[in-house]
């Protein structure tokens, strides 16, 4: 059973250090922040890992700040945080006495019945107020931090993981989860309803965990499929109020929970920067993906506006995910709607297929013979052997020496050969390079008692 990652929201009035705290927590844990081609995601969201726990960290500092509209804006902010988050961090300035605004924030957070932690930030300053003052807010857990000087951050993370479940491998339930992802008004809800209506054997109507993610289960052939419909992401400049920030969060949660994502684009408004951003997030999350061009029925001049003419333009825009199939659909006429189920089932099978180590290494040796990896003078990378370590997504680990000199273009070359050897249509491939000398040196230092043992976990390669 797949499940969404827990969510921790940072709230509080302006100028108390929410963004600094967010940035420090993200950096401290090398958070996995999704990237689109060439740019990074708006800094409001980060994925944090700490002591075998993973969670989304949400900074609400980007919302409309106080002034005359303080009560209205902060109330909306906290209401949304309470609805979407599993843990709430209320941040205050430890050098200031408790204000009416702090009381208002604390009261609203406690009313949510979610775990609430009070963060007294700027604790490095000598003008700090005693904890007795902060206890008046009614929040039991009080921690002092200095985001600027990296004090108390680990203690905050330790406290957070006390309130959320540890990350673990879920028991497979053979339900295929498909998320409909895209900007608002690209036809997600229409496609959602059409996909659901195509099936006579409706299993159940599952209530969404949040108001912006609708779920329904259908039966297609011998397989149960759960469809997730999201409200849609607007580009950062248009996320002016709390509901927009948290609709972004719900989109990310839907991606995290799904096996396959249908990335929808309106045929009348193709290839926007946000579409690329979403594709990058899906790719980095390791999910299957289909690029779905919706509203094909609205194109009047199909002779001049043909699929053959559009497909290359779309492919160039999404050249960083060339593995994603492209399909044109219409919820009005039903064109290719059923085919989406077949695509999702096929991609799911591709995501689970295992490769033979012997075949992988035959391919690797042929690749090296044909095009040896380039390097610097006397420091050419040596690729010795390759193994597959995981599926969903597919992780391939290559062992050798001087691997830091492997150019990103060579990694793409290996991926292209791998996809020619095995059919991985619709699913991303991840590579990890492990230098045998570094691993050996690390073990030697451990044996000599000079260093703690560091497990060489698989980590994504640097941004391409």
């Amino acid at each position: 059973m797949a499940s969404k990652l827990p969510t921790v929201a940072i709230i509080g009035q302006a100028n108390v250090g929410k963004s600094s705290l967010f940035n420090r927590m993200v950096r401290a844990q090398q958070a996995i922040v999704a990237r689109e081609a060439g740019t990074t995601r708006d800094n409001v969201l980060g994925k944090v890992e700490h002591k075998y726990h993973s969670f989304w960290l949400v900074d609400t500092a980007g919302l409309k700040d106080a002034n005359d509209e303080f009560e209205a804006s902060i109330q909306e902010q906290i209401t949304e945080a309470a609805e979407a988050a599993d843990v709430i961090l209320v941040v205050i300035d430890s050098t200031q006495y408790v204000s009416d605004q702090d009381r208002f924030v604390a009261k609203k957070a406690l009313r949510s019945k979610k775990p609430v932690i009070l963060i007294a930030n700027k604790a490095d300053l000598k003008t700090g107020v005693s904890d007795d003052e902060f206890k008046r807010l009614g929040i039991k857990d009080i921690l002092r931090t200095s985001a600027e000087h990296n004090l108390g951050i680990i203690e905050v993370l330790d406290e957070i993981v006390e309130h959320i479940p540890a990350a673990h491998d879920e028991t497979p339930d053979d339900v295929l989860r498909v998320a409909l992802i895209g900007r608002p008004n690209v036809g997600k809800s229409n496609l959602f309803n059409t996909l659901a209506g195509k099936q006579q054997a409706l299993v159940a109507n599952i209530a969404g965990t949040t108001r912006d993610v609708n779920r329904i289960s259908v039966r297609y052939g011998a397989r149960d499929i759960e469809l997730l419909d999201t409200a849609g992401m607007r580009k950062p400049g248009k996320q002016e109020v709390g509901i927009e920030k948290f609709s972004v969060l719900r989109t990310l949660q839907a991606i995290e929970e799904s096996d396959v994502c249908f990335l929808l684009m309106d045929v009348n408004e193709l290839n926007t920067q946000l579409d690329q951003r979403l594709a990058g997030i899906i790719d980095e999350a390791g999910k299957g993906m289909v690029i779905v061009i919706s509203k094909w029925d609205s194109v009047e001049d199909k002779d001049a506006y043909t699929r053959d003419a559009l497909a290359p333009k779309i492919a160039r825009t999404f050249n960083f995910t060339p593995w994603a199939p492209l399909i044109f659909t219409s919820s009005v006429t039903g064109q290719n709607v059923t085919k989406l189920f077949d695509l999702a089932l096929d991609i799911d099978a591709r995501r689970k297929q295992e490769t033979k180590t012997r075949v992988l290494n035959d391919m690797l040796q042929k690749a090296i013979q044909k095009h040896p990896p380039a390097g610097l003078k006397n420091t050419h990378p040596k690729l010795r052997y390759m193994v597959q370590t995981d599926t969903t997504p597919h992780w391939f680990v290559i062992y050798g020496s001087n691997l830091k000199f492997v150019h990103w273009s060579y990694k793409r070359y290996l991926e292209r050969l791998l996809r020619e050897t095995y059919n991985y249509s619709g699913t991303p491939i991840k590579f990890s390079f492990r230098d045998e000398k570094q691993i050996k040196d690390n073990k030697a230092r451990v044996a000599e008692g000079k260093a703690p043992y560091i497990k060489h976990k698989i980590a994504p390669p640097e941004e391409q």
Side-chain angles (χ1 to χ4, degrees):
M1 173 70 182
S3 62
K4 73 179 182 70
L5 286 183
T7 304
V8 178
I10 302 174
I11 63 174
Q13 61 172 305
N15 302 318
V16 294
K18 296 189 296 295
S19 293
S20 298
L21 186 67
F22 170 87
N23 291 334
R24 186 65 78 173
M25 291 170 71
V26 165
R27 273 203 304 272
Q29 299 306 310
Q30 322 243 309
I32 304 167
V33 178
R35 290 175 175 84
E36 60 175 290
T39 62
T40 59
R41 184 198 301 159
D42 177 18
N43 69 353
V44 74
L45 293 160
K47 186 177 170 186
V48 180
E49 296 180 0
H50 182 69
K51 290 186 175 179
Y52 304 104
H53 293 70
S54 298
F55 59 90
W56 286 115
L57 183 64
V58 189
D59 175 20
T60 57
L63 304 180
K64 291 165 70 175
D65 276 320
N67 294 331
D68 295 337
E69 299 179 7
F70 175 81
E71 187 166 332
S73 65
I74 205 72
Q75 184 167 350
E76 181 177 41
Q77 170 182 318
I78 297 170
T79 300
E80 288 295 323
E83 184 177 319
D86 299 285
V87 179
I88 300 174
L89 306 182
V90 174
V91 184
I92 60 173
D93 185 338
S94 68
T95 68
Q96 304 290 325
Y97 284 93
V98 171
S99 67
D100 289 341
Q101 293 173 343
D102 291 328
R103 291 190 189 91
F104 178 81
V105 172
K107 185 177 179 181
K108 294 289 291 186
L110 289 167
R111 193 174 290 172
S112 72
K113 305 299 182 183
K114 303 289 178 71
V116 180
I117 302 169
L118 183 65
I119 309 296
N121 196 32
K122 305 183 183 180
D124 55 302
L125 301 178
K126 295 180 179 179
T127 54
V129 179
S130 72
D131 281 358
D132 289 338
E133 171 71 11
F134 304 141
K135 289 177 182 176
R136 296 165 57 188
L137 293 172
I139 299 173
K140 183 177 69 173
D141 298 319
I142 303 174
L143 296 173
R144 287 181 176 263
T145 64
S146 170
E148 185 176 351
H149 295 280
N150 199 23
L151 300 175
I153 305 302
I154 298 300
E155 288 75 11
V156 172
L157 292 169
D158 287 343
E159 185 66 28
I160 289 170
V161 300
E162 290 291 321
H163 298 286
I164 60 175
H168 62 281
D169 293 329
E170 302 285 348
T171 304
D173 58 7
D174 202 40
V175 175
L176 175 59
R177 290 175 174 82
V178 178
L180 277 60
I181 305 298
R183 294 174 289 113
N185 305 318
V186 294
K188 292 190 303 299
S189 294
N190 286 337
L191 181 60
F192 178 82
N193 293 332
T194 305
L195 286 167
K198 279 276 181 184
Q199 307 311 310
Q200 300 303 312
L202 195 61
V203 177
N205 197 8
I206 305 169
T209 52
T210 64
R211 75 185 190 200
D212 283 336
V213 178
N214 298 318
R215 302 160 186 267
I216 201 164
S217 286
V218 298
R219 185 87 175 174
Y220 185 76
R223 194 73 183 275
D224 289 327
I225 299 177
E226 185 176 72
L227 301 172
L228 288 74
D229 176 29
T230 57
M233 280 175 62
R234 298 184 192 277
K235 58 186 178 183
K238 293 186 178 179
Q239 297 167 14
E240 294 178 352
V241 292
I243 190 167
E244 291 296 347
K245 289 291 184 187
F246 284 89
S247 72
V248 174
L249 173 62
R250 293 181 186 118
T251 295
L252 291 166
Q253 289 174 336
I255 292 171
E256 189 77 32
E257 190 176 348
S258 68
D259 302 298
V260 178
C261 295
F262 293 160
L263 176 58
L264 269 71
M265 291 187 290
D266 186 334
V267 70
N268 302 296
E269 190 182 354
L270 290 173
N271 304 346
T272 71
Q273 203 170 29
L274 183 55
D275 293 327
Q276 290 179 295
R277 181 181 174 207
L278 287 167
I281 292 171
I282 295 167
D283 177 28
E284 188 154 326
K287 307 298 182 178
M289 181 168 68
V290 180
I291 297 175
V292 181
I293 308 302
S294 64
K295 304 183 183 180
W296 187 240
D297 59 281
S298 67
V299 176
E300 295 180 2
D301 188 1
K302 288 189 172 62
D303 292 331
Y305 210 55
T306 64
R307 279 174 286 188
D308 290 341
L310 282 175
K313 296 178 182 177
I314 297 168
R316 282 196 296 273
T317 304
F318 293 93
N319 61 358
F320 58 98
T321 55
W323 43 266
L326 174 66
I327 188 169
F328 292 78
T329 65
S330 168
S331 298
V332 174
T333 66
Q335 178 183 356
N336 284 338
V337 170
T338 302
K339 191 174 180 181
L340 285 171
F341 282 121
D342 294 323
L343 266 175
L345 290 170
D346 183 61
I347 290 171
D348 186 54
R350 304 289 177 205
R351 294 182 80 228
K352 294 175 180 175
Q353 73 182 355
E354 295 185 2
T355 54
K356 295 181 179 179
T357 302
R358 177 181 56 79
V359 176
L360 288 177
N361 284 288
D362 285 347
M363 184 212 77
L364 180 64
Q365 294 310 315
K366 288 176 183 176
I368 294 169
Q369 288 170 12
K370 189 174 181 180
H371 288 298
L376 302 176
K377 187 177 180 181
N378 300 324
T379 53
H380 291 282
K382 286 186 170 55
L383 281 56
R384 303 194 194 284
Y385 65 98
M386 171 195 271
V387 293
Q388 182 181 17
T389 58
D390 204 359
T391 59
T392 63
H394 292 285
W395 270 107
F396 296 93
V397 180
I398 296 176
Y399 290 85
S401 58
N402 294 325
L403 298 182
K404 65 182 178 180
F405 297 109
V406 177
H407 194 264
W408 63 264
S409 60
Y410 199 80
K411 297 172 188 176
R412 287 194 176 178
Y413 164 64
L414 292 177
E415 179 176 344
R416 187 172 67 252
L417 290 178
L418 190 55
R419 290 186 182 278
E420 290 172 359
T421 306
Y422 287 94
N423 185 349
Y424 288 119
S425 176
T427 183
I429 288 174
K430 309 290 184 182
F431 283 106
S432 177
F433 291 80
R434 298 195 193 173
D435 196 299
E436 293 173 321
K437 185 176 184 299
Q438 288 182 355
I439 296 173
K440 185 178 179 180
D441 289 348
N442 182 44
K443 288 183 176 179
R445 286 171 61 81
V446 171
E448 294 170 5
K450 293 181 179 179
Y453 178 66
I454 301 173
K455 185 178 179 182
H456 286 261
K457 67 178 182 178
I458 297 172
E462 63 270 20
E463 188 64 23
Q464 298 181 5

